[in-house]
Amino acid sequence: GALNLNPGSGVRVEPIEAEQSVDTVCPYCGVGCLLTYHVKDQQIIAATGRNGATNHNRLCVKGRFGFDYHHHADRLLTPLIRRDDAPKQATLPDDGNYRRWFRQASWEEALERAADGFNRIKQTHGGDALAGFGSAKGSNEEAYLFQKLIRTGFGSNNVDHCTRLCHASSVAALLEAIGSGAVSNPIEDVAEADLILVIGANPDSNHPVAASFIKNAAKAGATLIVADPRRIPLARHASQFLQFQPDSDVALLNALLYCIIDEELINPDFIANRTEGFDELKRSVLRFSPEKMAPLCGIPAATLRQVARSYANADRAMIFWGMGISLHIHGTDNARCLIALAMITGQIGRPGTGLHPLRGQNNVQGASDAGLIPMMLPDYQRVDNASARDRFEQLWQTTLDPRPGKTVVEIIHAAFDSEIKGLYVMGENPAMSDPNLNHARAALARLDHLVVQDLFITETAAFADVILPASGFAEKTGSFTNTDRRVQLGRQAVDLAGDARQDLWIIQQLAQRIGLTWHYSQQPSDVAAVFEEMRQAMPSIAGISWQRLLDQDSVTYPCRSDDDPGQPLLFEHDFPTASGRAKLVPTELISADELPDDDYPLVLLTGRQLEHWHTGSMTRRSRILDAIDPLPWISIHPEQLQAYGLNDGDQIRLQSRRGEIIVTAVEDSGLLAGQLFMPFCYVEAAINLLTNDALDPYGKIAEVKYCAVRIKND
């Protein structure tokens, strides 16, 4: 009843006549569905889908019902400052009452306190002792100004956001291979595909509207191949389901590459004209025959060969992947293999083909484009590239640090070691989303100065010295870039709650107090002025004026001139590399950082669920969504339940080498024996207390998808 609300949905929604309707976009996943908020008495009372290319009127349950968090009783309505008698603790109270540690303050006092702390640290220890976490839930303009503040105000490149817990390894592999971290084809291209491969993604839960397009294509006759360690709902619609062993992605994908090369199913013209490194790739993959890899990945060799032939022989084949591919210490290698599959078969540069890493949060793509990553300036210009840096120094009228900064997990480690002493966090919740949470929370507690800008006193805000009440999604206007590279307009639908302020205003106020002289108010609004500066900084969106966004709502980049309609399809003729060719990169078999053993014999997989989003700060404060799934749970294979003498619904104590939780067990025969799965949105059973913070060496992404655990009931 979410995609198309109907009387049989089982959800009771009281009819209320709206006073105003505001066209905007959805604040959740990277699909970026266009929707309309219906407002009465300055409260959103309903959301309906619009007929945009991203969703064709459809909305998932989060987009349909997940809006009332704006009006929740927990909203921050005034700035808060930590009480002098409330020292920071590395652990959080079980009752979740963090508010008792803070006192109300005026905006002037809070902003002065926030800025003074950063200024003091910079003067004493230098800019390297400061860092910032921006938000993939905020707008492009907010991301751009935030990274600009860190780089020009703090004086370092220690700025990152949740892409480091999302698709950083995918982007690293794509930039290395084809010179662009963007998707090659939009989701709607599945209608043109003969074969669709979905691997390491659960779009029914994470990208439900995208999943509906994939299902439509399969129903219309496309071959759908789903590969995942869990039997996800999309597998019901698949022609072939590959339930491979966790941590065996590279083995499986190299076996497919072996078959395609060995059986001469390659596209020799495409390889010769548009790639480099094929001979080295061939020598590498010929070590990994399906017969050798089958015992490792748990898929019969004959099945691997059948899948390889189907993909290579399809007229048009398209690959989608998710964080099941990226969040491993070999996440970059996983993506390298997928890129090689497309390249050696020529399955890119045409409608219905290509590579599409499904973006997690609503503005992961836009935040990354805007430079909210430590080694890249806007439009993926490396900070250690002298000519790129010179261009931004002229634009911003300042000197920039040529050294790449620290990533999210590296910043947390540096905070634990007291190398990072001050941190500015906008709209992120690392005290829930980061791996090895006991360590992450201890690191946050050790900071000399933490400023958090958010809607609620999140778990991260509980460690703050100053908390600044921010604007909710429906309380602001800004642009957001979805997984298809569509720059889309989000419009303010309701007034700010209490004395909360616009995020752009807060960033600029802090910038002013740390010595920056920004002037954005000469345009009709700050957001338009910031966007116009972004057009100067980012050639990819140079043709998208603010007025064009107001008129069209959604424009696909690259869009380099005012009359450019935008380019949904990339790489038709060449790649944006120095040679114009794609680089094929061989991979090795690398095991997870931590494998099961006698002490910790089970494998823990983590992810998201349909009803809740990320760390739950929004959806668990949404009445209908929280009512659907209010309590934490963990999926366990029936054999494990039986082996431990447990029943469905029993409480279990789950431990790793880093922590433990108590949670309700739910029987799930869709897992392989020895596996468990749990979402990470429940603070009362925070699964990231258990996960591993070992990093992929290329994407610097943590291996939160795999660690060894045990059930230890008293």
Side-chain angles (χ1 to χ4, degrees), residues 305-334:
R305 288 184 178 275
Q306 178 189 351
V307 169
R309 292 166 187 152
S310 297
Y311 178 81
N313 290 327
D315 288 336
R316 297 180 177 188
M318 195 169 181
I319 302 175
F320 293 92
W321 73 91
M323 284 167 276
I325 284 290
S326 61
L327 287 167
H328 296 273
I329 62 167
H330 49 74
T332 304
D333 283 341
N334 293 345

Side-chain angles (χ1 to χ4, degrees), residues 251-274:
L252 183 151
L253 295 171
N254 268 319
L256 300 183
L257 289 167
Y258 174 100
C259 182
I260 292 170
I261 293 173
D262 182 59
E263 298 186 12
E264 298 184 350
L265 303 175
I266 60 174
N267 185 325
D269 290 340
F270 191 94
I271 291 171
N273 296 325
R274 299 197 56 189

Side-chain angles (χ1 to χ4, degrees), residues 16 37 86 279 298 357 433-434 436 441 459 474 540 580 594 632:
I16 304 174
Y37 281 140
D279 290 340
S433 61
D434 275 28
N436 192 3
R441 292 173 178 177
E459 291 69 38
S540 63
E594 180 182 80

Side-chain angles (χ1 to χ4, degrees), residues 85-227:
D85 59 353
K88 298 179 187 180
Q89 307 172 39
T91 57
L92 297 173
D94 292 337
D95 63 7
N97 181 14
Y98 315 140
R99 193 175 289 268
R100 64 175 179 264
W101 293 336
F102 298 91
R103 64 173 176 83
Q104 291 187 8
S106 67
W107 271 103
E108 185 62 28
E109 182 189 9
L111 289 167
E112 288 296 332
R113 180 74 66 94
D116 286 349
F118 293 138
N119 288 332
R120 183 182 67 253
I121 291 169
K122 184 178 180 181
Q123 290 165 6
T124 305
H125 303 283
D128 284 348
L130 296 172
F133 292 164
S135 176
K137 294 184 286 290
S139 69
N140 290 324
E141 296 77 24
E142 292 162 2
Y144 177 82
L145 274 199
F146 188 92
Q147 61 87 34
K148 183 179 175 183
L149 181 147
I150 302 302
R151 290 189 158 108
T152 65
F154 287 4
S156 83
N157 290 308
N158 295 333
V159 61
D160 208 354
H161 74 295
C162 79
T163 190
R164 208 58 50 192
L165 304 168
C166 180
H167 269 301
S169 53
S170 302
V171 172
L174 288 165
L175 286 170
E176 169 191 63
I178 60 178
S180 170
V183 301
S184 66
N185 297 58
I187 292 169
E188 64 180 341
D189 256 19
V190 293
E192 306 287 334
D194 301 299
L195 183 142
I196 305 158
L197 171 60
V198 178
I199 180 167
N202 183 11
D204 279 276
S205 292
N206 299 339
H207 307 87
V209 171
S212 73
F213 287 116
I214 295 171
K215 294 172 190 175
N216 289 348
K219 187 176 181 180
T223 298
L224 173 61
I225 299 172
V226 174

Side-chain angles (χ1 to χ4, degrees), residues 369-667:
D369 297 342
L372 203 58
I373 41 183
M375 66 290 295
M376 301 287 184
L377 295 159
D379 253 7
Y380 304 97
Q381 301 299 300
R382 286 197 60 89
V383 299
D384 51 11
N385 181 305
S387 61
R389 196 171 59 253
D390 179 66
R391 178 168 165 266
F392 279 93
E393 287 179 342
Q394 292 185 46
L395 178 65
W396 293 340
Q397 293 296 294
T398 191
T399 300
L400 297 174
D401 189 341
R403 299 167 300 165
K406 291 181 171 62
T407 62
V408 163
V409 176
E410 290 173 330
I411 288 169
I412 291 296
H413 286 323
F416 187 86
D417 294 336
S418 298
E419 296 171 8
I420 295 288
K421 298 180 178 294
L423 181 63
Y424 177 20
V425 178
M426 185 186 82
E428 289 283 281
N429 193 11
M432 274 290 287
S433 61
D434 275 28
N436 192 3
L437 276 185
N438 283 319
H439 179 271
R441 292 173 178 177
L444 293 171
R446 292 186 182 191
L447 287 165
D448 291 351
H449 190 58
L450 173 61
V451 176
V452 174
Q453 182 173 322
D454 217 315
L455 306 180
F456 309 102
I457 306 180
T458 63
E459 291 69 38
T460 300
F463 295 96
D465 297 278
V466 180
I467 306 176
L468 306 174
S471 48
F473 181 86
E475 297 167 348
K476 69 180 74 175
T477 293
S479 67
F480 300 81
T481 306
N482 79 342
T483 191
D484 289 339
R485 294 176 281 105
R486 300 183 199 274
V487 183
Q488 305 190 125
L489 186 63
R491 293 181 175 88
Q492 184 172 353
V494 294
D495 292 342
L496 286 162
D499 200 24
R501 299 292 173 90
Q502 294 289 343
D503 288 278
L504 279 181
W505 181 87
I506 299 171
I507 297 169
Q508 291 181 67
Q509 290 296 311
L510 281 175
Q512 177 183 321
R513 286 167 172 80
I514 62 174
L516 299 176
T517 55
W518 290 352
H519 303 287
Y520 290 102
S521 299
Q522 297 172 10
Q523 298 286 334
S525 65
D526 283 352
V527 63
V530 176
F531 188 81
E532 289 305 314
E533 182 177 308
M534 290 174 63
R535 293 177 67 199
Q536 298 177 52
M538 302 168 63
S540 63
I541 63 168
I544 308 176
S545 67
W546 187 253
Q547 187 58 51
R548 186 172 178 182
L549 267 187
L550 291 173
D551 295 339
Q552 298 181 19
D553 282 352
S554 177
V555 183
T556 303
Y557 84 78
C559 185
R560 303 186 184 279
S561 64
D562 292 341
D563 57 357
D564 184 348
Q567 302 173 41
L569 175 63
L570 297 182
F571 319 132
E572 291 181 84
H573 305 295
D574 54 20
F575 297 101
T577 59
S579 66
R581 295 167 176 261
K583 181 181 180 182
L584 301 174
V585 182
T587 58
E588 299 292 334
L589 297 185
I590 301 171
S591 295
D593 178 72
E594 180 182 80
L595 298 174
D597 56 20
D598 291 341
D599 291 330
Y600 295 89
L602 305 174
V603 173
L604 174 65
L605 312 175
T606 69
R608 293 172 178 161
Q609 66 189 96
L610 174 62
E611 298 82 7
H612 289 305
W613 186 243
H614 209 237
T615 64
S617 61
M618 294 156 62
T619 54
R620 296 198 74 198
R621 292 180 172 91
S622 178
R623 178 178 60 88
I624 290 177
L625 297 180
D626 195 52
I628 295 172
D629 215 337
L631 300 172
W633 50 268
I634 188 166
S635 295
I636 301 181
H637 192 275
E639 287 186 14
Q640 262 66 59
L641 286 176
Q642 185 177 6
Y644 287 93
L646 297 167
N647 296 306
D648 183 73
D650 284 352
Q651 294 277 294
I652 66 165
R653 184 183 302 274
L654 191 68
Q655 298 177 333
S656 77
R657 290 178 174 85
R658 290 157 295 278
E660 72 172 32
I661 61 169
I662 296 175
V663 64
T664 300
V666 176
E667 182 177 316

